[in-house]
Amino acid sequence: MEVAMNEEPSDHSRLALTPDQMREFGYRVVDVLVEHFVGLEREPVGTKGDSVRLVSLFDHDPPEMGRDPGEVLSQLEHDVFPNNLHVDHPRFFAFVPGPNNFVSTMADALAAGFNVFNGTWLGGSGAAAIELGIVRWLSRVCGFPESAGGLFVSGGSMANLTALVAARHALLQDRIDRATVYFSDQTHSSVQRALHVIGFLREQMRKLPSDKNFRLPVHDLRDAIRTDRAKGLRPFCIVANAGTTNTGAVDPLIDLADLAQSEKMWLHVDGAFGAAALLSERGRVLLRGVERADSISLDPHKWLFQSFECGCVLVRDVALLKSAFQIKPDYLRDVHRNPAEFNPGDHGVQLSRSFRALKVWLSLQTFGLSAFRNAITRGFELAEIADRELRARKGWEILSPAQMATVCFRFGESDDLQTQLVDIMMRDGYALLTSTELRGVASLRLCTINPRTTEQDIVGTIGRLDKFARELDCQD
Ligand SMILES: Cc1ncc(COP(=O)(O)O)c(C=O)c1O
């Protein structure tokens, strides 16, 4: 069909749907999500799809003419959503689960729908105000002073990177020659990667063996710093853990803060997983000393129940973050006219950035702080229930007792058996856990931060593990 010159382009050419089509499609999306949230516990914990089959389904050029959005949604429901692990499933105990909440999900839809530009005050003042409010609140939760601030980032990896850039800028004026950084062998790999990205060589990183409780040994650290200074090196940063990924271990934060202070070094605390526990009484006790850090990573997409991607970096003196990152190009002259305005893009790597703080704000407003405190405390208790269940059964060894909603254990002597158990549980579909390595041996691990997990879920999971472990043991 020929289009006359004065004819308006069709809705499709304007990439638009009619109001009725938008409603129909939008309501269907909401229905799919509600079904997911309410029906999840009755579903398998997820599937790792066959790579040849799945890739072949989507390795095609897009159609020249559009398809019915409802039909496309059905395809997603059939081929995509079931072929993922449901990290929000109440019996997903692997890695660090992502037990997001429905309000957070809707906040993402709003942020995307309004396509809020959260890079500058000029572009998104309402969004920047909410971000500032949440960041200041989180700073208070961490015990930071008024001078503190920070910003939302994609997750812990980016939070660690952002903090380390601030440290490099503040203490080394960005010159990293002979500078050295210290952390334990339990530290998340994102720290090493961040250091690599910002220019540090392997020989400038000191990965110290952890102690019997998987904590950074202060004595060894002090010796390492002394040895390096004697060699003319420049020790400048200690990275401590507020909840390691492996075992939930918390490094001795008070001693590390003392050491960092006396050595005039930066103390970064990676609390990507654990720092949210500060909202609970138990977390506050375990994380004493965190308030003395120079910077902290805290991921709301982990133990603060938000959908991905939602990390946060906090810096004791936010001016240091700004001076590390701010650049004022000509085309942003209108953005920088009023220095009192908060421009998130001046405090990190991203300029165009989504409105991540909205989901944290909206879900806190909806459920209230006490619900979050209870949900976090529940995580601690569920790991302790798992710990007790395991100890009550023969053949199971606890490699790291329940702490920070994490427990590590194994059955029998064979590393292979632990791996087989992970595979069997995945095929079985009732619950999922993953393995790690602790002091050279394979260990199973449960991370129990989902507040929708029941005691029965834990007991059922351990019961299944026990049954499968004994069956495997008999085959050997
Ligand atoms: C302690 C710790 N730090 C950093 C990270 C990296 O976070 P992200 O995957 O959000 O980048 C994780 C992820 O599990 C973590 O547990």
Side-chain angles (χ1 to χ4, degrees):
M1 187 184 72
E2 241 173 66
V3 178
M5 287 304 284
N6 60 354
E7 200 173 311
E8 293 291 336
S10 69
D11 277 344
H12 251 54
S13 302
R14 295 186 301 118
L15 304 183
L17 300 178
T18 66
D20 282 346
Q21 287 172 326
M22 281 192 271
R23 285 199 178 85
E24 192 186 330
F25 183 54
Y27 294 155
R28 265 209 63 192
V29 170
V30 170
D31 284 342
V32 167
L33 289 173
V34 172
E35 267 167 46
H36 170 73
F37 272 86
V38 299
L40 190 55
E41 68 199 40
R42 292 187 296 275
E43 297 291 320
V45 78
T47 308
K48 180 177 145 196
D50 173 73
S51 67
V52 174
R53 190 184 76 81
L54 273 184
V55 170
S56 72
L57 288 180
F58 296 100
D59 194 9
H60 303 295
D61 293 348
E64 198 52 43
M65 303 308 286
R67 298 161 60 197
D68 171 50
E71 180 201 311
V72 181
L73 190 55
S74 299
Q75 184 188 358
L76 293 176
E77 284 186 273
H78 188 260
D79 293 332
V80 177
F81 299 134
N83 282 314
N84 298 301
L85 298 183
H86 299 308
V87 297
D88 48 349
H89 193 290
R91 291 184 300 277
F92 183 93
F93 304 112
F95 309 112
V96 178
N100 62 326
N101 71 84
F102 184 75
V103 175
S104 170
T105 308
M106 292 296 101
D108 270 351
L110 287 167
F114 283 92
N115 207 14
V116 176
F117 177 84
N118 196 188
T120 64
W121 186 269
L122 176 62
S125 45
I130 286 202
E131 177 160 8
L132 195 61
I134 294 287
V135 160
R136 285 197 176 147
W137 165 69
L138 284 174
S139 298
R140 290 193 293 279
V141 168
C142 292
F144 268 2
E146 273 288 294
S147 59
L151 81 164
F152 278 83
V153 291
S154 58
S157 304
M158 196 47 117
N160 286 336
L161 184 134
T162 308
L164 290 167
V165 169
R168 182 185 66 173
H169 186 72
L171 293 196
L172 304 174
Q173 291 73 49
D174 298 325
R175 292 183 183 80
I176 62 169
D177 179 41
R178 289 180 298 113
T180 44
V181 186
Y182 303 79
F183 48 89
S184 87
D185 58 8
Q186 296 299 301
T187 301
H188 193 269
S189 55
S190 59
V191 168
Q192 208 169 315
R193 182 162 34 223
L195 288 167
H196 174 64
V197 169
I198 67 174
F200 286 85
L201 301 173
R202 189 63 199 86
E203 57 263 31
Q204 293 174 282
M205 304 177 204
R206 301 284 175 272
K207 192 194 275 194
L208 302 174
S210 52
D211 67 16
K212 66 180 190 342
N213 296 316
F214 304 100
R215 289 152 46 108
L216 178 57
V218 181
H219 211 275
D220 297 354
L221 173 60
R222 190 176 289 117
D223 285 351
I225 292 170
R226 194 175 299 140
T227 307
D228 283 340
R229 283 211 199 280
K231 285 187 199 152
L233 300 174
R234 298 192 294 156
F236 95 103
C237 180
I238 300 167
V239 179
N241 289 297
T244 62
T245 321
N246 263 346
T247 64
V250 178
D251 287 332
L253 298 176
I254 296 175
D255 293 345
L256 293 173
D258 287 342
L259 183 60
Q261 194 173 351
S262 65
E263 295 286 343
K264 299 194 170 36
M265 292 169 72
W266 185 280
L267 177 63
H268 173 62
V269 173
D270 182 359
F273 163 47
L278 284 164
L279 283 176
S280 71
E281 186 51 40
R282 297 180 64 167
R284 269 195 298 282
V285 172
L286 276 171
L287 300 178
R288 251 182 220 136
V290 73
E291 69 285 353
R292 293 179 57 198
D294 293 292
S295 52
I296 300 173
S297 301
L298 184 163
D299 276 359
H301 69 203
K302 296 189 168 76
W303 212 350
L304 216 49
F305 318 112
Q306 304 302 317
S307 42
F308 301 127
E309 302 170 352
C310 195
C312 188
V313 57
L314 303 170
V315 179
R316 162 177 293 278
D317 180 359
V318 70
L320 295 176
L321 192 58
K322 190 167 171 182
S323 70
F325 281 100
Q326 190 183 43
I327 296 173
K328 295 180 174 175
D330 299 341
Y331 43 81
L332 293 185
R333 65 190 288 275
D334 295 323
V335 163
H336 290 121
R337 264 189 255 156
N338 181 353
E341 288 170 357
F342 171 54
N343 293 308
D346 286 344
H347 294 76
V349 173
Q350 278 185 285
L351 176 58
S352 298
R353 55 201 288 282
S354 69
F355 187 8
R356 296 183 177 105
L358 179 64
K359 48 193 160 192
V360 182
W361 185 84
L362 199 61
S363 42
L364 280 162
Q365 295 293 319
T366 305
F367 296 111
L369 255 181
S370 85
F372 279 80
R373 293 191 207 287
N374 294 341
I376 290 165
T377 303
R378 179 87 186 133
F380 280 95
E381 293 165 356
L382 289 166
E384 286 158 4
I385 294 169
D387 188 313
R388 279 202 300 277
E389 278 295 312
L390 286 159
R391 285 178 201 271
R393 290 162 194 263
K394 277 217 174 65
W396 293 95
E397 180 190 359
I398 301 285
L399 299 180
S400 172
Q403 59 178 336
M404 298 286 268
T406 308
V407 57
C408 295
F409 51 94
R410 66 189 246 136
F411 185 89
E413 297 303 316
S414 152
D415 280 357
D416 228 25
L417 188 136
Q418 322 307 318
T419 316
Q420 286 174 306
L421 278 172
V422 170
D423 291 345
I424 291 189
M425 290 296 277
M426 174 102 77
R427 280 199 298 277
D428 177 63
Y430 175 78
L432 194 78
L433 76 174
T434 38
S435 63
T436 184
E437 200 172 299
L438 294 179
R439 278 191 247 301
V441 299
S443 167
L444 298 170
R445 176 182 163 281
L446 294 175
C447 185
T448 58
I449 59 173
N450 191 328
R452 293 176 291 276
T453 302
T454 63
E455 186 165 340
Q456 194 42 49
D457 288 329
I458 298 280
V459 175
T461 300
I462 307 286
R464 263 179 158 79
L465 271 171
D466 194 53
K467 174 174 159 290
F468 293 139
R470 285 175 207 289
E471 284 169 10
L472 282 171
D473 209 31
C474 286
Q475 287 168 20
D476 284 348

